[in-house]
Amino acid sequence: MSEQMFQGATGVGSMPGGDAREAAKTVTGTFEEFPHLPELPARGPGADMIGRTVGLLVDLYAHVEPSGWRISDRPGRDTRRARSWLGEDLDALEEFTQGYTGPLKVQAAGPWTLAAAVELRGGEAALADPGACRDLAASLAEGLRAHLAEVARRVPGAQLVLQLDEPSLTAVLRGQIRTASGYRTHRAVDRQLVESALRDVAAVHEGPVVVHSCAPDVPFALLRRAGASAVSFDFGLITERDEEAIGEAVEAGTRLLAGVVPSVDTALSDPAGSVMGVRTLWRRLGLNPGTLAGSVVITPSCGLAGASPAYTRAALAHCVRAARSLADNPE
């Protein structure tokens, strides 16, 4: 994996508002070296992380119920709307990346967050049925293959980076996903099964794969074994318990997308202050400060869908300045 592909700053995925052109213009104008395909969940079901990914599935369909997305026999209005919005987003991205060469990140829900969120026909999460989990993962893999090919066609100079969003992964591993009744939780999924499905989905992309989770206790070692080139996480949730796994991951060549800039409106500190914790972690782990800039990309702590447009622009620009501070003064 080219070290240059994991430098500087980028976004996590979601942005506020519903204007695809404005979002693409903001992202490409701010992250000149590592833009991403924006997601605009405020437009409604189908633009959300799960709905957008449902729209990518091959030979599997779903529609919106009051409780969420539920498997259907055929594509309906909700699936068509999800695909239409994604097409709109791709049109906008293509417009603002004319002549661009370099890394470009696209995001989709990973197989386990998808299985925890999408309901079977009876209303229970697909997570309850191992066969349904396998079918979802296989369908997702096929859909991502086609999606990546489409993005590559539209932005031919891009070196694509695939991000799998797995905010529910820790809860899946711990048996903390609630059943439809809310009175019980689904059984914890075997770690080897989790790893295997992630590996199969990640394998559709020959380039770098990032797994993102803004939940506590990110399973760094499992993600590394599953083939993740990089792990994206909320740096503020890291505890001493995570540090050894992070050190091992970095030494094995895994890159970090460190979410150090708050994803909701707040006063921003100076850029150097935002990355002070990253420098401190590097020192505690005994890692070479010279490797920092090539190992860490600076991002918001999570998606920015809940932020104001003005704060979003400020936060993204702050990520770029913080990354520059890290590169200029690693110690």
Side-chain angles (χ1 to χ4, degrees), residues 105-147:
K105 183 166 69 67
V106 298
Q107 307 83 217
W112 295 106
T113 292
L114 197 62
V118 173
E119 300 171 356
L120 301 174
R121 288 174 181 82
E124 203 54 84
L127 193 63
D129 182 338
C133 290
R134 282 194 299 273
D135 291 346
L136 264 181
S139 176
L140 174 62
E142 285 305 307
L144 284 173
R145 188 176 280 115
H147 179 49

Side-chain angles (χ1 to χ4, degrees), residues 72-267:
S72 306
D73 291 325
R74 59 184 68 85
R77 182 184 58 199
D78 298 326
T79 303
R80 286 194 295 272
R81 185 170 51 203
R83 290 173 177 170
S84 172
W85 272 327
L86 178 58
E88 193 178 296
D89 295 338
L90 289 171
D91 288 344
L93 182 74
E94 184 177 0
E95 178 183 348
F96 288 101
T97 51
Q98 294 294 313
Y100 174 74
T101 57
L104 171 65
K105 183 166 69 67
V106 298
Q107 307 83 217
W112 295 106
T113 292
L114 197 62
V118 173
E119 300 171 356
L120 301 174
R121 288 174 181 82
E124 203 54 84
L127 193 63
D129 182 338
C133 290
R134 282 194 299 273
D135 291 346
L136 264 181
S139 176
L140 174 62
E142 285 305 307
L144 284 173
R145 188 176 280 115
H147 179 49
L148 290 163
E150 173 70 4
V151 179
R153 184 185 67 77
R154 288 170 176 262
V155 193
Q159 298 165 287
L160 293 181
V161 176
L162 170 63
Q163 176 176 302
L164 298 175
D165 289 320
E166 283 284 14
S168 300
L169 184 60
T170 300
V172 166
L173 288 165
R174 291 184 168 179
Q176 293 172 337
I177 301 292
R178 294 212 162 272
T179 57
S181 69
Y183 295 121
R184 295 186 303 108
T185 56
H186 291 286
R187 186 179 306 172
V189 180
D190 180 81
R191 295 181 79 86
Q192 287 185 314
L193 272 180
V194 169
E195 186 182 319
S196 174
L198 279 167
R199 186 182 298 108
D200 288 348
V201 173
V204 304
H205 183 43
E206 292 180 1
V209 176
V210 180
V211 179
H212 166 74
S213 173
C214 47
D217 298 319
V218 175
F220 287 92
L222 183 152
L223 297 179
R224 181 162 53 89
R225 290 194 304 271
S229 314
V231 181
S232 169
F233 59 98
D234 180 345
F235 193 83
L237 297 179
I238 291 301
T239 66
E240 284 185 29
R241 208 170 52 236
D242 300 307
E243 291 184 5
E244 186 180 344
I246 292 174
E248 288 174 358
V250 171
E251 289 182 333
T254 305
R255 304 299 201 271
L256 307 179
L257 275 67
V260 299
V261 177
S263 56
V264 291
D265 290 39
T266 188

Side-chain angles (χ1 to χ4, degrees), residues 10-28 30-31 36-43 47 52 107 263 300 302-309 311-313 315-316:
T10 192
V12 172
S14 66
M15 304 270 285
D19 187 331
R21 290 187 75 255
E22 183 62 32
K25 182 180 178 183
T26 299
V27 166
T28 56
T30 307
F31 299 126
H36 65 94
L37 175 63
E39 301 166 358
L40 301 172
R43 293 179 297 195
R52 187 184 185 92
Q107 307 83 217
S263 56
C302 203
L304 289 158
S308 67
Y311 176 79
T312 294
R313 289 190 292 273
L316 298 184

